[in-house]
Amino acid sequence: MDRRVLVLSNNCFSPSNSNGRTLGNLFFGWPKENLAQFCVIAKDPNWDLCDNYYCLEDRAMLGAFKHGGKAVGRKLQPPSVVREGNSESVDTQRKKMGKKTLPKIILREMVWARKRWCSRDFEQWVDGFSPEVVVLQFGDSSFMIDIALYIAKSRQIPLVVYNTEGYYFFPRNWHYPSKIDALIFPAYRRYYQKRVRKLMVAASHSVYLNEKLQEDYDGVFGNKSSVIYNSSGLQDSSAPTFEKEVPRISYLGNLGLDRDTALVEVGKVLYDLDHRYHIDIYGNADERVTQTLNEAQGVVFHGRVSYDKVKEVIAESDILFHVESEQGYKERQLQYAFSTKIADSVSSGKCFVLYAPKELACSKYIIESGAGWFADSQLNLKQVLVNIINDDKERQMVLDRAKTVAKQNHSLEGNAKEFQKILMNVGKTDN
């Protein structure tokens, strides 16, 4: 019999949000009645996966803080129930707070630290579900650690940590810069690390997104741990055709962290190879990035598209790109970066190219696994593209290797089975 699992995360399970989709994939096939989620943002909940959501937004916490009361969260209802007038809209989302600077984050932590989330309503919701395991999607919010620890300890149930980032090890502020970071970041870092240490002592098992994260956290904490890579529902169902004359080349994903600079470099290499070549770029961009991409040679910018459109573009592409820039890596400490799009790209049956600094976890993964092509300079990238387009034998060899790696590391069913086995065994004396 499957255990009742309570999941805590910033974003809800969602088919349209990368974090929500990544987390939700781990519960593929899990009985809906045995899954509940506490979240801060409920944008496009995945009702097929879970129908027991408790959303406590920042604005509700701020209101409780101002008035000295307890915050009450929303027990979300599916759209069919909402249409009958029995609930508020389920599309809850944090109001725009501008860029996440450290002073803003500290104020947010101060609001949540008062434990106004611990209301009678919250307690009744948790007890009504009666969880047997708590899963925390680990990020940079200390208050989520506090909530997870409270539930696990008060109910005396095991706690599983799902970790996709290495904030604990970052020596510098990872948020957008402000003028007083040098004064307040050391204290903020100590506070955050103290919470993480408490979490790791209490955790029964940790699951990491890649081996670099596992290696560094286990080096400090030595907990029981596993690596489960991003899953993909895409399948290489048939032998792909490849358009040599003018291949369709695509990038789909986040355009922050100075990735536009790297994409402009990709476009230049393509344009220099053949004026007919270009990279189609799909993603959300601000005005500056949009202008940069629209003015670049070898680049066609399409803007943001739905995940269904993403899958359509992947199916129609010959070459898929993911990029990280040198400046983004150095300024935002991206050594653990491992995009959710890598799993889809490796699993797609299409040629995948990673253009990034070689120090990143995703770079080491592609280099060591051989599941795609890697380049860290425009000169190397030019040769990679020439080989993909002209060398049929090399192209097929890498595609065959990607198919093997996808089955080993990115299978939706395989990864869910591995994760759920951990949930079923965690906390047992014979584990």
Side-chain angles (χ1 to χ4, degrees):
M1 180 178 177
D2 295 306
R3 298 165 107 177
R4 292 183 299 278
V5 180
L6 174 56
V7 179
L8 284 77
S9 60
N10 190 62
N11 295 90
C12 69
F13 300 125
S14 172
S16 60
N17 172 272
S18 59
N19 287 329
R21 190 166 57 249
T22 297
L23 184 61
N25 284 342
L26 296 174
F27 292 93
F28 176 79
W30 195 263
K32 186 188 294 188
E33 64 272 16
N34 287 350
L35 189 60
Q37 187 178 41
F38 174 94
C39 61
V40 178
I41 299 175
K43 175 71 172 176
D44 190 20
N46 187 342
W47 298 108
D48 292 332
L49 180 68
C50 175
D51 59 9
N52 191 355
Y53 294 99
Y54 189 96
C55 179
L56 186 52
E57 302 168 82
D58 285 324
R59 60 187 176 188
M61 286 295 298
L62 183 59
F65 182 81
K66 288 179 178 178
H67 298 100
K70 294 287 186 179
V72 176
R74 301 191 192 189
K75 301 174 189 69
L76 305 182
Q77 298 289 333
S80 59
V81 177
V82 174
R83 284 194 294 269
E84 294 170 5
N86 294 330
S87 177
E88 298 179 71
S89 169
V90 299
D91 188 10
T92 62
Q93 195 173 22
R94 183 189 309 151
K95 288 183 177 180
K96 295 293 184 182
M97 58 179 288
K99 291 185 177 181
K100 290 174 62 177
T101 62
L102 189 54
K104 290 180 182 179
I105 295 302
I106 290 176
L107 288 173
R108 184 191 188 205
E109 291 287 351
M110 290 172 61
V111 169
W112 280 85
R114 303 294 294 179
K115 292 190 176 181
R116 300 189 185 279
W117 49 266
C118 192
S119 65
R120 178 179 298 180
D121 185 71
F122 172 80
E123 296 279 15
Q124 288 177 345
W125 177 75
V126 175
D127 289 339
F129 179 64
S130 187
E132 297 169 284
V133 180
V134 177
V135 173
L136 171 65
Q137 186 176 30
F138 185 27
D140 62 352
S141 298
S142 298
F143 67 83
M144 292 295 283
I145 295 175
D146 292 339
I147 298 172
L149 288 173
Y150 172 77
I151 295 174
K153 290 180 178 180
S154 63
R155 274 72 179 180
Q156 295 184 327
I157 55 178
L159 171 61
V160 174
V161 173
Y162 178 57
N163 192 341
T164 64
E165 268 293 356
Y167 297 113
Y168 181 87
F169 302 103
F170 290 175
R172 305 186 313 280
N173 175 33
W174 53 85
H175 302 102
Y176 285 97
S178 70
K179 294 180 179 180
I180 59 173
D181 288 350
L183 296 175
I184 61 178
F185 180 71
Y188 171 77
R189 185 171 187 256
R190 286 194 299 271
Y191 178 84
Y192 175 75
Q193 289 185 325
K194 182 179 179 180
R195 289 298 187 278
V196 174
R197 287 193 290 270
K198 289 180 63 176
L199 173 68
M200 299 306 287
V201 168
S204 299
H205 198 100
S206 296
V207 177
Y208 297 103
L209 185 62
N210 58 65
E211 292 178 351
K212 175 62 174 170
L213 278 168
Q214 183 190 43
E215 177 184 341
D216 287 357
Y217 275 97
D218 281 1
V220 175
F221 301 106
N223 291 29
K224 290 183 179 179
S225 67
S226 305
V227 171
I228 299 180
Y229 289 95
N230 286 330
S231 304
S232 174
L234 299 184
Q235 294 183 344
D236 175 17
S237 57
S238 60
T241 58
F242 188 88
E243 176 54 58
K244 282 190 172 184
E245 189 68 19
V246 183
R248 181 167 180 181
I249 304 169
S250 305
Y251 171 86
L252 307 104
N254 194 307
L255 292 169
L257 303 174
D258 197 48
R259 291 190 180 102
D260 56 304
T261 298
L263 288 166
V264 169
E265 292 175 2
V266 172
K268 183 178 186 306
V269 172
L270 289 169
Y271 187 81
D272 289 345
L273 277 174
D274 189 318
H275 287 5
R276 296 173 299 171
Y277 293 173
H278 69 270
I279 182 168
D280 292 296
I281 298 174
Y282 301 83
N284 193 29
D286 60 24
E287 185 176 343
R288 182 197 66 78
V289 171
T290 298
Q291 181 177 353
T292 297
L293 295 176
N294 284 333
E295 293 175 352
Q297 290 182 323
V299 167
V300 178
F301 179 54
H302 298 271
R304 185 178 183 179
V305 294
S306 68
Y307 187 59
D308 286 339
K309 179 64 175 180
V310 166
K311 292 186 284 187
E312 180 183 318
V313 171
I314 288 175
E316 295 173 352
S317 297
D318 297 298
I319 302 173
L320 299 172
F321 263 86
H322 181 67
V323 303
E324 301 286 356
S325 79
E326 186 74 29
Q327 181 178 344
Y329 159 56
K330 290 180 178 179
E331 290 186 358
R332 301 304 297 276
Q333 304 165 90
L334 301 176
Q335 58 264 39
Y336 300 101
F338 204 100
S339 170
T340 57
K341 295 298 187 295
I342 290 177
D344 282 343
S345 298
V346 170
S347 304
S348 67
K350 304 305 174 77
C351 300
F352 173 58
V353 178
L354 176 62
Y355 181 58
K358 64 177 58 177
E359 294 85 359
L360 274 60
C362 58
S363 301
K364 295 177 182 178
Y365 178 72
I366 293 300
I367 293 169
E368 293 172 5
S369 70
W373 288 262
F374 172 78
D376 61 354
S377 70
Q378 293 182 60
L379 182 62
N380 292 343
L381 179 59
K382 179 179 179 180
Q383 188 59 53
V384 161
L385 290 167
V386 169
N387 290 353
I388 293 174
I389 295 169
N390 298 319
D391 193 329
D392 296 351
K393 185 176 180 180
E394 178 181 315
R395 186 169 64 247
Q396 192 57 52
M397 180 181 68
V398 176
L399 288 173
D400 289 344
R401 179 58 185 159
K403 189 172 184 178
T404 299
V405 171
K407 184 176 181 180
Q408 290 175 343
N409 294 340
H410 304 295
S411 164
L412 181 63
E413 295 85 354
N415 286 357
K417 183 177 180 180
E418 183 179 351
F419 184 74
Q420 292 167 23
K421 183 179 179 180
I422 293 170
L423 298 183
M424 291 302 298
N425 293 326
V426 70
K428 296 181 179 179
T429 56
D430 59 345
N431 184 24

